[in-house]
Amino acid sequence: MIRFFACGLAAFLSVVASAGFARADIHALDFGKTKNGEDVKIYEITNENGMKVRVMTRGATLVGLEAPDRNRRISDVVFGFDNVQGYESKDNGYFGATVGRYANRIAKGKFTLDGKEYQLATNDGPNHLHGGDGRSFDKVVWKARRFENPGECGVKFTYTSPDGEEGYPGTLEASVTYTLTDKNALRLEYSAKTDKPTIINLTNHAYFNLAGAGSPTINDHTLRIFADKYTPVDATLIPTGEIAPVEGTPLDFRKTTAIGQRVDQLTATSAKGYDHNFVLNPKKRGEELTKAAELVDPASGRKLTVYTDQPGIQFYGGNFLNGVKGKNGQTYAYRSACCLETQVFPDSPNHQGQEGWPNCVLRPGESYKHTCVYAFSVKEKETKRAADKKSAKEKKS
Ligand code: GLA
């Protein structure tokens, strides 16, 4: 009888949630221990529309994001694992992790700051990637504090990286706050302070498939990136220093385009597909954040719009995915998800002062600030006439 009642209650709650009348909630769950025996927790955040986000203390990692489709069906649209060991495995792909101290690449792991040369780990061929090896931000356990405000709730993660950790100068006090709003937006706010001059570039490495994580491809997803330029890379994915127009290249996403339409033109290049930093067009007057990208799964209608205050966004198309097993028995196949990582440009430490290149140096008394908003909505089925009209309008804008 009790089991019958429980099933009935679960069914009732799922109908209530899909009808958009869920109760906002945030609670913590134990998620096991790291290989070093540190306790790991997951915080599960639900908003009043039934959208759910799960974030983990190890790596301040986004481990789940359930968003509605045009029929209010909820699916988890980000990659993850069912246990800590998955995130500690060699094929973890930085799934959902907060990446730092410096996300993306630094040529030969070297940079000079105030006349002093620093050597970081070269953990990606000849270069430094995503903060290094043992103590990069995706691997450490962050402290967590939950909060609830009217219309939103979330978790603030904090971590203090000691002077010299992974070769970086300065003791860095970092935080990343995940806030889920009742408007189905997930806001990520990064901040940091240092006691010595250092470099910094934090980001989130979520892998999205808006048809549902584990779906076979993103080739049918459409993408628009609000960038007229990008930073071309060399054979080791280090920017050449040039800032070039996307026009006439497979990187031209100024108009909404299916990801699979031109991706194979890049397969034989060093990037092996899409894995490029786009130079975002400046925000319009009066706007708080730049609209960076729009990703849509036409079949489900799920739409992700990315806003940020950062100058760049890395569009990575999952070229290194190899069928790794993820949560709920999902298989993460080649190019079956994409990342939209807001950031300063790769290798910026070696381009400081160069025209068009952003600052990545943080000094005592300054605050590093970075906001990224992943806003979820739905797109109604589009008639051919409406699609042609939209394409013509995008051409003008
Ligand atoms: C970033 C890089 C990619 C790849 C992924 C992690 O997106 O740009 O080249 O290293 O991280 O697999």
Side-chain angles (χ1 to χ4, degrees):
M1 181 59 185
I2 291 176
R3 179 187 291 275
F4 175 76
F5 175 73
C7 293
L9 178 62
F12 171 73
L13 289 177
S14 71
V15 166
V16 165
S18 62
F21 305 111
R23 191 174 63 80
D25 173 62
I26 178 169
H27 58 272
L29 307 157
D30 289 330
F31 194 58
K33 292 179 183 296
T34 66
K35 60 190 173 192
N36 305 326
E38 297 166 279
D39 289 328
V40 177
K41 284 195 181 304
I42 278 183
Y43 287 80
E44 189 164 274
I45 311 163
T46 308
N47 73 8
E48 63 181 23
N49 308 318
M51 183 168 163
K52 202 187 289 287
V53 163
R54 278 184 288 280
V55 288
M56 173 175 67
T57 52
R58 182 186 183 275
T61 299
L62 178 64
V63 300
L65 192 156
E66 296 177 13
D69 68 6
R70 63 167 65 96
N71 301 315
R72 288 182 181 271
R73 257 195 309 272
I74 298 257
S75 288
D76 187 350
V77 297
V78 297
F79 282 9
F81 295 101
D82 285 324
N83 51 49
V84 177
Q85 289 61 43
Y87 288 97
E88 293 179 325
S89 70
K90 67 174 178 47
D91 287 333
N92 66 76
Y94 300 90
F95 290 171
T98 294
V99 177
R101 289 195 192 187
Y102 196 94
N104 218 311
R105 290 171 175 80
I106 296 175
K108 298 186 175 34
K110 280 198 178 88
F111 67 94
T112 299
L113 182 54
D114 297 344
K116 182 177 179 190
E117 183 175 278
Y118 293 88
Q119 178 63 60
L120 306 175
T122 49
N123 59 319
D124 184 63
N127 304 313
H128 180 77
L129 176 69
H130 291 343
D133 272 332
R135 298 296 293 173
S136 48
F137 281 11
D138 59 294
K139 299 179 181 65
V140 298
V141 176
W142 297 56
K143 289 193 174 72
R145 180 178 54 77
R146 56 200 250 183
F147 62 89
E148 293 185 63
N149 298 323
E152 61 184 30
C153 55
V155 180
K156 178 173 185 178
F157 292 103
T158 54
Y159 176 67
T160 296
S161 172
D163 181 19
E165 189 166 65
E166 281 299 326
Y168 288 86
T171 295
L172 188 83
E173 293 177 30
S175 76
V176 53
T177 302
Y178 287 84
T179 305
L180 178 61
T181 76
D182 285 340
K183 295 188 175 359
N184 285 9
L186 178 63
R187 189 169 66 245
L188 290 85
E189 292 165 302
Y190 305 85
S191 71
K193 290 185 183 306
T194 182
D195 64 355
K196 282 183 192 171
T198 192
I199 59 171
I200 186 168
N201 180 35
L202 306 181
T203 196
N204 183 274
H205 212 301
Y207 286 66
F208 295 102
N209 185 316
L210 301 182
S215 301
T217 181
I218 49 165
N219 279 344
D220 50 355
H221 282 40
T222 64
L223 178 65
R224 188 175 179 192
I225 299 178
F226 295 80
D228 296 337
K229 297 180 181 168
Y230 76 109
T231 48
V233 292
D234 66 15
T236 68
L237 299 187
I238 292 294
T240 59
E242 192 192 355
I243 294 179
V246 298
E247 188 167 10
T249 77
L251 300 168
D252 187 350
F253 281 98
R254 292 174 297 169
K255 281 180 14 191
T256 300
T257 307
I259 288 176
Q261 185 173 312
R262 303 164 300 188
V263 63
D264 286 333
Q265 296 175 35
L266 298 167
T267 302
T269 68
S270 56
K272 300 181 178 20
Y274 287 116
D275 193 359
H276 297 79
N277 170 64
F278 288 75
V279 179
L280 293 173
N281 298 336
K283 66 183 179 184
K284 295 191 172 77
R285 186 190 303 276
E287 285 178 343
E288 185 207 346
L289 298 172
T290 304
K291 184 189 281 191
E294 292 173 339
L295 181 70
V296 176
D297 168 39
S300 68
R302 285 192 190 91
K303 177 176 182 179
L304 164 62
T305 305
V306 185
Y307 299 89
T308 188
D309 57 4
Q310 296 298 293
I313 191 165
Q314 184 85 9
F315 167 41
Y316 167 56
N319 310 307
F320 296 136
L321 291 171
N322 59 7
V324 64
K325 291 284 180 231
K327 58 190 163 185
N328 309 322
Q330 295 165 358
T331 300
Y332 299 142
Y334 176 67
R335 292 182 179 167
S336 66
C338 67
C339 306
L340 292 163
E341 306 155 55
T342 56
Q343 59 177 10
V344 294
F345 305 167
D347 203 32
S348 288
N350 291 309
H351 294 275
Q352 289 303 284
Q354 191 174 325
E355 190 186 349
W357 282 77
N359 170 55
C360 64
V361 172
L362 180 68
R363 296 183 181 282
E366 297 174 345
S367 287
Y368 168 79
K369 292 288 179 199
H370 170 179
T371 298
C372 171
V373 177
Y374 290 130
F376 285 84
S377 55
V378 293
K379 195 170 173 343
E380 296 314 322
K381 268 196 184 306
E382 202 167 51
T383 61
K384 170 122 181 33
R385 185 167 168 278
D388 293 345
K389 202 171 152 196
K390 178 172 182 289
S391 175
K393 188 166 166 258
E394 285 179 356
K395 203 175 282 181
K396 288 201 189 86
S397 67

